[in-house]
């Protein structure tokens, strides 16, 4: 595995490469993770794919050129992100590619597929929050009241912890999601990143009509992976949408939200080999 940086006017984008196959797979990780999240696939799929795993915005080594509060509130459009991926692909000499996203990363994967469908071979969405993010994400990202509330709370560790406990008690998030989120608010920088992830990416709301058109018209092989015990993004959220996708396969693992494990590798490898 090697790590690299790509620079443009918007961002210093950090990414990893692993595997040495002829096909390219772009990886978009979950919240609080990093570009190495899908390295577990290298042992079984590394001869077919070269994986490129990005550290996404406000994670690890990737840094916006302007990470001020004003820039975060301005956000990024779907087209701007697609332009970034296009520029990156020219830099790396990439023509076509497949995409894999997990949880938060499925929003990035869906944006790229909506905007650049002619370049996508395979679309893999695990714990696909992009199909139905629930009540929490839209409230804190798109609602003026919710976003202002999050801004104030994110600057105060005590309030943010209390808020998470409340959401857990109200069953808006489960114990597993609570544990993940609690580990991401321990410092002022982490709390800022927590706020920024909701705010900066507020335009990354899936246009289901457009995504469906992209998948079907380009005959993109689509794989949707759910955890049977995932209370945040259970299998039922994608039922209606997936039924309309021509070349779609659904996998339901005996897992919770944290599903990127051995069983994930085994079943995905069987479909891609």
């Amino acid at each position: 595995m090697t790590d690299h940086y790509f620079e443009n006017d918007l961002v210093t984008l950090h990414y990893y490469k692993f595997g040495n196959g002829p096909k390219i797979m772009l990886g978009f990780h979950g919240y609080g993770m990093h570009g190495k999240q899908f390295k577990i696939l290298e042992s079984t799929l590394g001869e077919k794919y070269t994986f490129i795993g990005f550290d996404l915005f406000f994670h690890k080594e990737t840094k916006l050129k302007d990470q001020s509060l004003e820039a975060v509130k301005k956000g990024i459009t779907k087209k701007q992100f697609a332009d970034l991926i296009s520029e990156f692909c020219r830099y790396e000499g990439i023509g076509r590619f497949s995409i894999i996203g997990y949880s938060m990363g499925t929003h990035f994967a869906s944006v790229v597929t909506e905007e650049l469908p002619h370049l996508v071979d395979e679309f893999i969405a695990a714990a696909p929050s992009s199909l139905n993010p629930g009540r929490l994400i839209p409230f804190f990202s798109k609602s003026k009241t919710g976003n202002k509330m999050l801004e104030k709370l994110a600057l105060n560790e005590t309030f943010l912890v209390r808020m998470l406990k409340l959401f857990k008690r109200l069953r808006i998030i489960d114990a597993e999601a609570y544990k993940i989120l609690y580990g991401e608010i321990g410092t002022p920088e982490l709390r800022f990143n927590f706020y920024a992830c909701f705010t900066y990416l507020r335009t990354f709301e899936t246009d289901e009509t457009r995504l469906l058109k992209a998948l079907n018209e380009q005959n993109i092989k689509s794989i949707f992976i759910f955890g049977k015990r995932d209370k945040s993004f259970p299998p039922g959220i994608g039922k209606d949408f997936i039924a309309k996708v021509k070349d779609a396969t659904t996998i339901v693992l005996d897992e919770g939200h944290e599903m990127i494990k051995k069983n994930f590798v085994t079943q995905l490898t069987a479909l891609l080999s």
Side-chain angles (χ1 to χ4, degrees), residues 130-156:
S130 61
L131 295 185
N132 186 342
R135 294 171 289 170
L136 196 62
I137 293 174
F139 177 67
F140 282 131
S141 61
K142 300 183 75 68
S143 162
K144 289 184 179 180
T145 300
N147 189 254
K148 191 65 177 178
M149 182 188 303
L150 183 64
E151 179 185 349
K152 290 185 177 299
L153 294 178
L155 302 179
N156 187 303

Side-chain angles (χ1 to χ4, degrees), residues 28-31 37-38 99-111 113 123-135 137-138 204-208 211 215 222-243 245 248-253 255-260 264:
F28 301 99
H29 63 75
Y31 180 79
Q37 184 172 33
F38 296 108
I99 297 176
I100 185 168
Y102 165 72
S103 195
M104 180 192 76
T106 64
H107 293 268
F108 291 82
S110 294
V111 166
T113 305
F123 173 83
I124 303 162
S129 66
S130 61
L131 295 185
N132 186 342
R135 294 171 289 170
I137 293 174
F204 280 25
E205 186 175 23
T206 299
D207 183 332
E208 289 195 359
L211 179 60
L215 295 174
S222 304
I223 301 172
F224 299 89
I225 306 174
F226 297 89
K228 183 168 65 176
R229 293 177 279 105
D230 185 352
K231 295 182 180 179
S232 298
F233 308 109
I237 67 169
K239 185 178 180 181
D240 292 340
F241 177 83
I242 295 170
V245 180
T249 300
T250 300
I251 300 173
V252 179
L253 303 174
E255 302 285 355
H257 187 63
E258 293 192 59
M259 64 175 65
I260 313 301
F264 176 89

Side-chain angles (χ1 to χ4, degrees), residues 1-260:
M1 182 177 68
T2 56
D3 64 317
H4 310 264
Y5 290 90
F6 169 69
E7 299 261 0
N8 75 356
D9 293 340
L10 175 69
V11 66
T12 298
L13 182 66
H14 181 248
Y15 60 101
Y16 298 91
K17 287 184 179 181
F18 43 95
N20 56 9
K23 298 187 70 175
I24 300 296
M25 178 82 77
L26 304 183
F28 301 99
H29 63 75
Y31 180 79
M33 308 299 178
H34 46 64
K36 293 185 284 187
Q37 184 172 33
F38 296 108
K39 191 176 186 301
I40 192 171
L41 295 170
E42 183 181 16
S43 61
T44 57
L45 291 169
E47 292 186 2
K48 183 174 183 178
Y49 297 94
T50 294
F51 292 89
I52 295 178
F54 302 103
D55 285 347
L56 298 178
F57 301 127
F58 313 109
H59 286 76
K60 304 301 179 182
E61 300 302 315
T62 288
K63 305 292 180 185
L64 294 177
K65 295 298 175 68
D66 182 359
Q67 291 208 157
S68 66
L69 188 60
E70 291 73 21
V72 167
K73 288 181 176 181
K74 183 178 179 181
I76 184 172
T77 67
K78 291 181 177 182
K79 184 180 184 304
Q80 285 175 318
F81 184 68
D83 288 344
L84 170 63
I85 294 298
S86 295
E87 188 178 346
F88 171 82
C89 286
R90 288 193 294 272
Y91 171 79
E92 279 285 352
I94 296 170
R96 300 184 63 81
F97 51 81
S98 295
I99 297 176
I100 185 168
Y102 165 72
S103 195
M104 180 192 76
T106 64
H107 293 268
F108 291 82
S110 294
V111 166
V112 174
T113 305
E114 284 182 31
E115 295 287 333
L116 304 170
H118 57 290
L119 300 179
V120 180
D121 290 323
E122 295 156 320
F123 173 83
I124 303 162
S129 66
S130 61
L131 295 185
N132 186 342
R135 294 171 289 170
L136 196 62
I137 293 174
F139 177 67
F140 282 131
S141 61
K142 300 183 75 68
S143 162
K144 289 184 179 180
T145 300
N147 189 254
K148 191 65 177 178
M149 182 188 303
L150 183 64
E151 179 185 349
K152 290 185 177 299
L153 294 178
L155 302 179
N156 187 303
E157 181 181 5
T158 302
F159 281 136
L160 202 54
V161 170
R162 288 177 178 173
M163 181 184 69
L164 286 181
K165 289 181 178 178
L166 175 63
F167 289 153
K168 181 183 175 184
R169 189 164 62 249
L170 294 176
R171 297 184 180 180
I172 296 174
I173 58 176
D174 62 13
E176 190 174 27
Y178 172 83
K179 182 180 178 182
I180 293 170
L181 292 172
Y182 186 83
E184 295 299 324
I185 58 173
T187 68
E189 180 182 5
L190 287 173
R191 292 194 293 277
F192 177 82
N193 290 343
F194 181 82
Y195 168 76
C197 279
F198 279 97
T199 305
Y200 193 68
L201 306 175
R202 66 184 177 275
T203 65
F204 280 25
E205 186 175 23
T206 299
D207 183 332
E208 289 195 359
T209 300
R210 196 169 176 218
L211 179 60
L212 184 65
K213 180 180 178 182
L215 295 174
N216 286 341
E217 289 189 354
Q218 297 297 322
N219 297 310
I220 298 170
K221 180 181 178 67
S222 304
I223 301 172
F224 299 89
I225 306 174
F226 297 89
K228 183 168 65 176
R229 293 177 279 105
D230 185 352
K231 295 182 180 179
S232 298
F233 308 109
I237 67 169
K239 185 178 180 181
D240 292 340
F241 177 83
I242 295 170
K244 300 173 187 176
V245 180
K246 290 180 182 177
D247 188 6
T249 300
T250 300
I251 300 173
V252 179
L253 303 174
D254 187 16
E255 302 285 355
H257 187 63
E258 293 192 59
M259 64 175 65
I260 313 301

